[in-house]
Structure formats: C-alpha cells, structure tokens
Amino acid sequence: MEEALNSTIDPACLQDPPQAIDVIKQLDIFGFSLYGILTLMSCISLLLYLEQCVYIYKKLPYPKKTTIIWINGAAPVIATMACFGMWIPRAVMFTDMTSNCYFAVVVYKVLVLMIEEYGGTDLFLKRFSGKTFKITVGPCCCCCLCLPRVPMSRRMLFLLKVAALQYAILKTVLSLLSIILWTNGNFDLSDLEITGTAIWINPFIGVLTITSLWPVAIIFMNTNSNLRKIKIIPKYAMYQLILVLSQLQTSIINILALNGTIPCSPPFSSTAWGSMLSQQIMIMEMFIITLVTRCLYRRTYDTLPTEAHDNNHKAETLVEHDV
C-alpha cells in the first residue's frame, strides 16, 4: 500500500532538501530579487545589532550591559540563522537549533534584566523580601486560581532563577544530543513513530520551555508596575513576540508541511519547502523586531525611585483622593 502511494507522488517530493547550488540554479529574476532583499535585511539586522552593542557597552554599566546585549541579539541572531537556512536548506536543522539555543539563554536574561533594573539581587530582595507574589500566571498556572500567593525570599528567587536557567542548559545539551543521533541516522524530525527519538525529545523540550517561561512571567507580573518608567512592558512584549514567532509559528508551518498541507515545489519536498517559507517569513519579522527593539533600548534611563519614594507617592495620592 505504501509503495503504491509513493509511486503516485512526484519523486522530487520524496527527496532530501536540495543543496545550495541547486537552489541557486532554480532561481529566476524574482527569486534572485527576493533572496537578495531578504539577505540584505538579515545583514542590516546584524549590523544594527553590532552598532547597538557598541552603544550599550559605552553607555550602560556592568552587568546590565551584558544582559541587554544578550536580549538585543535575539532577533538579529534568528534572522542571520534563517538567512543561512534559506541559502543552505540542508542546514536548517542546525540553524534552527542554534537560534533556539540562543533564545533559551535570552529567556533567562529577561528575568535577570528585571532583577538588575532594581539594582541587583540584594536590592531586589531588600525591596520585595517578605512580600507575597502572585504565581497564578501563564503559561503554567494561569487557571489555578486556588494557588496561594508566595512570599518572596532569597530561596524563592533562587528557585525562579534555576527554573529559567534549566532551559538554557538542557536545551543546549539536547540539541547536541540530537545532532549526535542525527549523524548516526537515529534522529529525523519527520519520523513521528513512537520508536523515533524526535517524538520523545521535542515534547520534552516543550515542557522545559513552558517551565522556564513561568518564573519570568511571575517576576514580570509582580514587578512591572514599578518598571513602567523604563518601558518594561513593550520590551517584554517584544520578547514574547519573538517567542511566538520563532517557536509556535515555525512549529505550525512544520506540522502543515509534514501533513502535506503545504505542497512540494521541486526541487523542494513538502517539508523542505515548508522550512524555506518559515525561514523567509522569519527574516522579515525579525528585521522589523530588530528596528523596534533598537528604539526601545537605545536610550538611557534615570534610576528607579526607592521604595520609600513609592510609598510616599501612594500616600500623597490617597490624601488627594480623600480630599
């Protein structure tokens, strides 16, 4: 039955992704123009990021500047890797893994940034120690309204950091393991059988992702009111947007390609053509996000007001309201 089905399919649709030279040979004027524009976008994104790194390194103190440099690099790195994947289709698995490993570190760095905006771990604990934090936030426990509020402490903050950091470490380890298994022919993203390794590794990475996003959301939801002055909400929104586009969007396109919803386009198979579309869309999206992120971070901010200042401001507001 399977042989009969394969005999009715274009042989090009069953082949591996084409080599870079085959991609270049099949390009027409429109194709060359599209590839040229997308390559230019990724190069501009990378150059803007490098210039931004110089600006941040000169203007901001350590360790905040290293954290912001990491976060600013998410969109340019993903765009650059997508450009390599567009020109070299057989390298898509490696470029995607590189982008995902980098973003796994960015997830942890976003949590660190919010803590550093308060002056670091010690000043953060001095300000929030003993205060209760709401943990019924997404993506893990947004529906568990019965969960109690948890008091912030050094131990609690350590656990939140570990929960975010584990994704950066384990994602890199599992990516290396996937590459090792792939070289031995044991890892195939299109193999959805229960005996395949991809069907076990990818869902586990999904669980790690959700687990790491939760502590970042807890810190943000409980501290963002004091960080509005430094535009933390649009910064967090950009981080969430990169997450959705680089993880969810790519997964949806790959699933559609595996199901045959996205037809093959020789010399590309269905999965290779889906990956190609994903890379091209990603370059345009990350280019726009790079420009927006540059505007958000390319400025200096005054230090945050102290807790006593916040309390006095609240008291004055209450008095005015009573009068």
Side-chain angles (χ1 to χ4, degrees):
M1 181 67 178
E2 184 177 355
E3 294 178 356
L5 180 61
N6 291 338
S7 63
T8 62
I9 301 177
D10 189 336
C13 295
L14 301 174
Q15 296 175 355
D16 293 330
Q19 296 182 352
I21 188 65
D22 296 326
V23 174
I24 296 175
K25 288 180 179 179
Q26 60 91 32
L27 291 178
D28 53 12
I29 296 178
F30 174 78
F32 272 113
S33 300
L34 177 63
Y35 273 53
I37 293 173
L38 293 177
T39 303
L40 180 62
M41 283 183 175
S42 63
C43 291
I44 292 175
S45 298
L46 187 59
L47 291 175
L48 289 176
Y49 169 62
L50 294 177
E51 191 274 335
Q52 181 81 337
C53 288
V54 175
Y55 175 85
I56 293 172
Y57 188 82
K58 292 181 178 180
K59 297 292 184 180
L60 297 180
Y62 179 85
K64 184 186 295 186
K65 60 184 176 184
T66 57
T67 303
I68 293 179
I69 286 174
W70 267 100
I71 296 174
N72 272 256
V77 167
I78 294 175
T80 303
M81 290 297 103
C83 184
F84 283 123
M86 179 181 69
W87 283 103
I88 311 175
R90 293 192 178 185
V92 166
M93 185 182 77
F94 303 99
T95 58
D96 284 349
M97 286 183 177
T98 303
S99 300
N100 293 335
C101 289
Y102 185 94
F103 187 76
V105 179
V106 170
V107 172
Y108 172 71
K109 290 296 183 179
V110 170
L111 184 146
V112 172
L113 176 63
M114 290 186 285
I115 295 174
E116 289 179 354
E117 293 292 0
Y118 283 97
T121 301
D122 293 335
L123 292 178
F124 180 88
L125 290 172
K126 183 179 179 181
R127 187 161 188 166
F128 293 103
S129 182
K131 295 184 178 179
T132 57
F133 273 36
K134 178 183 178 182
I135 63 173
T136 54
V137 298
C140 287
C141 300
C142 55
C143 299
C144 303
L145 301 179
C146 59
L147 292 178
R149 297 175 67 93
V150 177
M152 177 54 62
S153 62
R154 186 171 295 274
R155 176 182 174 81
M156 177 64 177
L157 184 60
F158 173 76
L159 292 176
L160 292 176
K161 286 184 176 181
V162 170
L165 183 60
Q166 53 81 24
Y167 177 48
I169 298 174
L170 294 179
K171 171 62 181 175
T172 304
V173 172
L174 291 174
S175 295
L176 291 175
L177 177 61
S178 299
I179 292 174
I180 294 172
L181 293 174
W182 176 82
T183 59
N184 196 47
N186 301 118
F187 185 86
D188 185 4
L189 292 174
S190 61
D191 184 10
L192 301 180
E193 298 293 333
I194 194 65
T195 55
T197 55
I199 198 67
W200 293 98
I201 292 179
N202 289 339
F204 183 62
I205 291 177
V207 173
L208 296 178
T209 305
I210 294 174
T211 305
S212 67
L213 296 177
W214 189 34
V216 181
I218 290 175
I219 295 294
F220 173 76
M221 294 301 295
N222 288 276
T223 63
N224 71 82
S225 60
N226 297 324
L227 298 177
R228 293 178 185 273
K229 185 178 181 181
I230 59 169
K231 309 295 183 184
I232 194 63
I233 294 179
K235 290 177 181 178
Y236 188 81
M238 288 297 103
Y239 144 78
Q240 290 282 335
L241 184 59
I242 294 175
L243 170 68
V244 172
L245 296 177
S246 64
Q247 305 293 324
L248 184 60
Q249 175 184 269
T250 302
S251 298
I252 292 174
I253 293 177
N254 289 337
I255 291 172
L256 292 176
L258 288 173
N259 290 337
T261 305
I262 297 178
C264 69
S265 178
F268 295 96
S269 63
S270 296
T271 54
W273 184 238
S275 297
M276 177 63 64
L277 293 177
S278 177
Q279 307 304 312
Q280 294 176 348
I281 295 172
M282 194 73 65
I283 292 174
M284 294 184 286
E285 294 168 340
M286 294 301 119
F287 174 74
I288 296 173
I289 292 176
T290 299
L291 299 179
V292 176
T293 304
R294 175 184 170 85
C295 296
L296 290 175
Y297 286 92
R298 195 176 179 81
R299 55 184 300 182
T300 57
Y301 301 95
D302 297 330
T303 56
L304 290 175
T306 62
E307 184 178 7
H309 180 274
D310 290 342
N311 293 334
N312 291 335
H313 178 71
K314 292 179 181 178
E316 292 174 1
T317 304
L318 289 175
V319 171
E320 292 177 359
H321 178 72
D322 292 341
V323 172

PDB file of all heavy atoms in Angstrom, residues 299-319:
ATOM      1  N   ARG A 299      18.487  54.151  24.605  1.00  0.00           N
ATOM      2  CA  ARG A 299      18.291  55.348  25.416  1.00  0.00           C
ATOM      3  C   ARG A 299      18.708  55.009  26.840  1.00  0.00           C
ATOM      4  O   ARG A 299      18.749  53.847  27.232  1.00  0.00           O
ATOM      5  CB  ARG A 299      16.828  55.803  25.399  1.00  0.00           C
ATOM      6  CG  ARG A 299      15.852  54.735  25.810  1.00  0.00           C
ATOM      7  CD  ARG A 299      14.421  55.189  25.691  1.00  0.00           C
ATOM      8  NE  ARG A 299      14.139  56.355  26.520  1.00  0.00           N
ATOM      9  CZ  ARG A 299      12.937  56.911  26.606  1.00  0.00           C
ATOM     10  NH1 ARG A 299      11.937  56.424  25.916  1.00  0.00           N
ATOM     11  NH2 ARG A 299      12.742  57.958  27.370  1.00  0.00           N
ATOM     12  N   THR A 300      19.049  56.008  27.569  1.00  0.00           N
ATOM     13  CA  THR A 300      19.407  55.809  28.972  1.00  0.00           C
ATOM     14  C   THR A 300      18.256  56.261  29.847  1.00  0.00           C
ATOM     15  O   THR A 300      17.476  57.144  29.466  1.00  0.00           O
ATOM     16  CB  THR A 300      20.674  56.593  29.337  1.00  0.00           C
ATOM     17  OG1 THR A 300      20.459  57.985  29.041  1.00  0.00           O
ATOM     18  CG2 THR A 300      21.873  56.082  28.535  1.00  0.00           C
ATOM     19  N   TYR A 301      18.141  55.663  31.020  1.00  0.00           N
ATOM     20  CA  TYR A 301      17.043  55.951  31.921  1.00  0.00           C
ATOM     21  C   TYR A 301      17.576  56.367  33.280  1.00  0.00           C
ATOM     22  O   TYR A 301      18.663  55.951  33.698  1.00  0.00           O
ATOM     23  CB  TYR A 301      16.157  54.706  32.099  1.00  0.00           C
ATOM     24  CG  TYR A 301      15.569  54.185  30.819  1.00  0.00           C
ATOM     25  CD1 TYR A 301      16.197  53.155  30.117  1.00  0.00           C
ATOM     26  CD2 TYR A 301      14.407  54.724  30.293  1.00  0.00           C
ATOM     27  CE1 TYR A 301      15.672  52.673  28.940  1.00  0.00           C
ATOM     28  CE2 TYR A 301      13.878  54.241  29.104  1.00  0.00           C
ATOM     29  CZ  TYR A 301      14.517  53.222  28.437  1.00  0.00           C
ATOM     30  OH  TYR A 301      13.994  52.750  27.271  1.00  0.00           O
ATOM     31  N   ASP A 302      16.787  57.175  33.967  1.00  0.00           N
ATOM     32  CA  ASP A 302      17.124  57.511  35.343  1.00  0.00           C
ATOM     33  C   ASP A 302      16.952  56.274  36.212  1.00  0.00           C
ATOM     34  O   ASP A 302      16.237  55.334  35.863  1.00  0.00           O
ATOM     35  CB  ASP A 302      16.214  58.636  35.851  1.00  0.00           C
ATOM     36  CG  ASP A 302      16.409  59.920  35.052  1.00  0.00           C
ATOM     37  OD1 ASP A 302      17.532  60.135  34.552  1.00  0.00           O
ATOM     38  OD2 ASP A 302      15.433  60.700  34.923  1.00  0.00           O
ATOM     39  N   THR A 303      17.596  56.294  37.365  1.00  0.00           N
ATOM     40  CA  THR A 303      17.452  55.165  38.278  1.00  0.00           C
ATOM     41  C   THR A 303      16.033  55.098  38.805  1.00  0.00           C
ATOM     42  O   THR A 303      15.331  56.120  38.889  1.00  0.00           O
ATOM     43  CB  THR A 303      18.421  55.303  39.455  1.00  0.00           C
ATOM     44  OG1 THR A 303      18.182  56.562  40.101  1.00  0.00           O
ATOM     45  CG2 THR A 303      19.866  55.256  38.969  1.00  0.00           C
ATOM     46  N   LEU A 304      15.607  53.907  39.156  1.00  0.00           N
ATOM     47  CA  LEU A 304      14.262  53.729  39.682  1.00  0.00           C
ATOM     48  C   LEU A 304      14.134  54.399  41.040  1.00  0.00           C
ATOM     49  O   LEU A 304      15.078  54.425  41.827  1.00  0.00           O
ATOM     50  CB  LEU A 304      13.949  52.238  39.824  1.00  0.00           C
ATOM     51  CG  LEU A 304      13.777  51.452  38.528  1.00  0.00           C
ATOM     52  CD1 LEU A 304      13.599  49.978  38.855  1.00  0.00           C
ATOM     53  CD2 LEU A 304      12.605  51.964  37.735  1.00  0.00           C
ATOM     54  N   PRO A 305      12.962  54.959  41.350  1.00  0.00           N
ATOM     55  CA  PRO A 305      12.755  55.540  42.674  1.00  0.00           C
ATOM     56  C   PRO A 305      12.805  54.467  43.753  1.00  0.00           C
ATOM     57  O   PRO A 305      12.514  53.306  43.497  1.00  0.00           O
ATOM     58  CB  PRO A 305      11.364  56.176  42.569  1.00  0.00           C
ATOM     59  CG  PRO A 305      10.687  55.439  41.465  1.00  0.00           C
ATOM     60  CD  PRO A 305      11.778  55.090  40.496  1.00  0.00           C
ATOM     61  N   THR A 306      13.164  54.869  44.956  1.00  0.00           N
ATOM     62  CA  THR A 306      13.249  53.920  46.064  1.00  0.00           C
ATOM     63  C   THR A 306      11.861  53.509  46.518  1.00  0.00           C
ATOM     64  O   THR A 306      10.849  54.120  46.146  1.00  0.00           O
ATOM     65  CB  THR A 306      14.005  54.546  47.237  1.00  0.00           C
ATOM     66  OG1 THR A 306      13.280  55.707  47.695  1.00  0.00           O
ATOM     67  CG2 THR A 306      15.414  54.972  46.814  1.00  0.00           C
ATOM     68  N   GLU A 307      11.834  52.476  47.362  1.00  0.00           N
ATOM     69  CA  GLU A 307      10.558  52.002  47.894  1.00  0.00           C
ATOM     70  C   GLU A 307       9.902  53.070  48.754  1.00  0.00           C
ATOM     71  O   GLU A 307       8.680  53.232  48.722  1.00  0.00           O
ATOM     72  CB  GLU A 307      10.785  50.734  48.707  1.00  0.00           C
ATOM     73  CG  GLU A 307       9.496  50.101  49.235  1.00  0.00           C
ATOM     74  CD  GLU A 307       9.766  48.826  49.993  1.00  0.00           C
ATOM     75  OE1 GLU A 307      10.948  48.508  50.215  1.00  0.00           O
ATOM     76  OE2 GLU A 307       8.785  48.149  50.351  1.00  0.00           O
ATOM     77  N   ALA A 308      10.705  53.830  49.526  1.00  0.00           N
ATOM     78  CA  ALA A 308      10.143  54.898  50.356  1.00  0.00           C
ATOM     79  C   ALA A 308       9.484  55.960  49.494  1.00  0.00           C
ATOM     80  O   ALA A 308       8.416  56.485  49.841  1.00  0.00           O
ATOM     81  CB  ALA A 308      11.248  55.514  51.213  1.00  0.00           C
ATOM     82  N   HIS A 309      10.108  56.262  48.342  1.00  0.00           N
ATOM     83  CA  HIS A 309       9.513  57.243  47.436  1.00  0.00           C
ATOM     84  C   HIS A 309       8.181  56.740  46.905  1.00  0.00           C
ATOM     85  O   HIS A 309       7.211  57.502  46.790  1.00  0.00           O
ATOM     86  CB  HIS A 309      10.483  57.516  46.284  1.00  0.00           C
ATOM     87  CG  HIS A 309       9.972  58.510  45.275  1.00  0.00           C
ATOM     88  ND1 HIS A 309       9.176  58.132  44.217  1.00  0.00           N
ATOM     89  CD2 HIS A 309      10.123  59.863  45.179  1.00  0.00           C
ATOM     90  CE1 HIS A 309       8.874  59.193  43.493  1.00  0.00           C
ATOM     91  NE2 HIS A 309       9.434  60.260  44.048  1.00  0.00           N
ATOM     92  N   ASP A 310       8.124  55.452  46.565  1.00  0.00           N
ATOM     93  CA  ASP A 310       6.867  54.877  46.080  1.00  0.00           C
ATOM     94  C   ASP A 310       5.782  54.945  47.147  1.00  0.00           C
ATOM     95  O   ASP A 310       4.626  55.277  46.856  1.00  0.00           O
ATOM     96  CB  ASP A 310       7.080  53.419  45.660  1.00  0.00           C
ATOM     97  CG  ASP A 310       7.904  53.320  44.397  1.00  0.00           C
ATOM     98  OD1 ASP A 310       8.009  54.330  43.680  1.00  0.00           O
ATOM     99  OD2 ASP A 310       8.454  52.224  44.134  1.00  0.00           O
ATOM    100  N   ASN A 311       6.145  54.661  48.408  1.00  0.00           N
ATOM    101  CA  ASN A 311       5.164  54.688  49.491  1.00  0.00           C
ATOM    102  C   ASN A 311       4.662  56.103  49.736  1.00  0.00           C
ATOM    103  O   ASN A 311       3.471  56.329  49.970  1.00  0.00           O
ATOM    104  CB  ASN A 311       5.779  54.121  50.768  1.00  0.00           C
ATOM    105  CG  ASN A 311       6.086  52.636  50.640  1.00  0.00           C
ATOM    106  OD1 ASN A 311       5.451  51.940  49.850  1.00  0.00           O
ATOM    107  ND2 ASN A 311       7.056  52.155  51.413  1.00  0.00           N
ATOM    108  N   ASN A 312       5.577  57.089  49.676  1.00  0.00           N
ATOM    109  CA  ASN A 312       5.170  58.484  49.865  1.00  0.00           C
ATOM    110  C   ASN A 312       4.249  58.936  48.746  1.00  0.00           C
ATOM    111  O   ASN A 312       3.265  59.653  48.977  1.00  0.00           O
ATOM    112  CB  ASN A 312       6.398  59.387  49.922  1.00  0.00           C
ATOM    113  CG  ASN A 312       7.227  59.167  51.171  1.00  0.00           C
ATOM    114  OD1 ASN A 312       6.696  58.705  52.191  1.00  0.00           O
ATOM    115  ND2 ASN A 312       8.513  59.488  51.115  1.00  0.00           N
ATOM    116  N   HIS A 313       4.570  58.467  47.514  1.00  0.00           N
ATOM    117  CA  HIS A 313       3.731  58.846  46.381  1.00  0.00           C
ATOM    118  C   HIS A 313       2.329  58.257  46.519  1.00  0.00           C
ATOM    119  O   HIS A 313       1.333  58.922  46.241  1.00  0.00           O
ATOM    120  CB  HIS A 313       4.379  58.367  45.079  1.00  0.00           C
ATOM    121  CG  HIS A 313       3.571  58.677  43.852  1.00  0.00           C
ATOM    122  ND1 HIS A 313       3.420  59.953  43.364  1.00  0.00           N
ATOM    123  CD2 HIS A 313       2.845  57.859  43.028  1.00  0.00           C
ATOM    124  CE1 HIS A 313       2.648  59.921  42.285  1.00  0.00           C
ATOM    125  NE2 HIS A 313       2.295  58.656  42.066  1.00  0.00           N
ATOM    126  N   LYS A 314       2.254  57.001  46.984  1.00  0.00           N
ATOM    127  CA  LYS A 314       0.947  56.379  47.195  1.00  0.00           C
ATOM    128  C   LYS A 314       0.169  57.089  48.289  1.00  0.00           C
ATOM    129  O   LYS A 314      -1.043  57.285  48.190  1.00  0.00           O
ATOM    130  CB  LYS A 314       1.133  54.900  47.552  1.00  0.00           C
ATOM    131  CG  LYS A 314       1.656  54.051  46.410  1.00  0.00           C
ATOM    132  CD  LYS A 314       1.830  52.606  46.841  1.00  0.00           C
ATOM    133  CE  LYS A 314       2.369  51.755  45.701  1.00  0.00           C
ATOM    134  NZ  LYS A 314       2.577  50.346  46.130  1.00  0.00           N
ATOM    135  N   ALA A 315       0.891  57.484  49.358  1.00  0.00           N
ATOM    136  CA  ALA A 315       0.219  58.178  50.453  1.00  0.00           C
ATOM    137  C   ALA A 315      -0.331  59.526  49.995  1.00  0.00           C
ATOM    138  O   ALA A 315      -1.449  59.904  50.334  1.00  0.00           O
ATOM    139  CB  ALA A 315       1.197  58.371  51.609  1.00  0.00           C
ATOM    140  N   GLU A 316       0.467  60.268  49.199  1.00  0.00           N
ATOM    141  CA  GLU A 316       0.000  61.550  48.679  1.00  0.00           C
ATOM    142  C   GLU A 316      -1.210  61.370  47.772  1.00  0.00           C
ATOM    143  O   GLU A 316      -2.159  62.160  47.796  1.00  0.00           O
ATOM    144  CB  GLU A 316       1.138  62.233  47.916  1.00  0.00           C
ATOM    145  CG  GLU A 316       2.293  62.689  48.810  1.00  0.00           C
ATOM    146  CD  GLU A 316       3.447  63.227  48.001  1.00  0.00           C
ATOM    147  OE1 GLU A 316       3.320  63.244  46.749  1.00  0.00           O
ATOM    148  OE2 GLU A 316       4.456  63.643  48.599  1.00  0.00           O
ATOM    149  N   THR A 317      -1.185  60.302  46.990  1.00  0.00           N
ATOM    150  CA  THR A 317      -2.321  60.035  46.101  1.00  0.00           C
ATOM    151  C   THR A 317      -3.582  59.745  46.898  1.00  0.00           C
ATOM    152  O   THR A 317      -4.674  60.219  46.569  1.00  0.00           O
ATOM    153  CB  THR A 317      -2.006  58.843  45.179  1.00  0.00           C
ATOM    154  OG1 THR A 317      -0.805  59.118  44.459  1.00  0.00           O
ATOM    155  CG2 THR A 317      -3.139  58.604  44.210  1.00  0.00           C
ATOM    156  N   LEU A 318      -3.436  58.990  47.976  1.00  0.00           N
ATOM    157  CA  LEU A 318      -4.596  58.662  48.823  1.00  0.00           C
ATOM    158  C   LEU A 318      -5.147  59.913  49.499  1.00  0.00           C
ATOM    159  O   LEU A 318      -6.357  60.085  49.610  1.00  0.00           O
ATOM    160  CB  LEU A 318      -4.189  57.628  49.876  1.00  0.00           C
ATOM    161  CG  LEU A 318      -3.912  56.216  49.343  1.00  0.00           C
ATOM    162  CD1 LEU A 318      -3.411  55.326  50.478  1.00  0.00           C
ATOM    163  CD2 LEU A 318      -5.180  55.616  48.745  1.00  0.00           C
ATOM    164  N   VAL A 319      -4.258  60.803  49.959  1.00  0.00           N
ATOM    165  CA  VAL A 319      -4.712  62.032  50.608  1.00  0.00           C
ATOM    166  C   VAL A 319      -5.472  62.906  49.624  1.00  0.00           C
ATOM    167  O   VAL A 319      -6.559  63.428  49.931  1.00  0.00           O
ATOM    168  CB  VAL A 319      -3.498  62.806  51.173  1.00  0.00           C
ATOM    169  CG1 VAL A 319      -3.923  64.194  51.642  1.00  0.00           C
ATOM    170  CG2 VAL A 319      -2.891  62.022  52.347  1.00  0.00           C
TER     171      VAL A 319
END
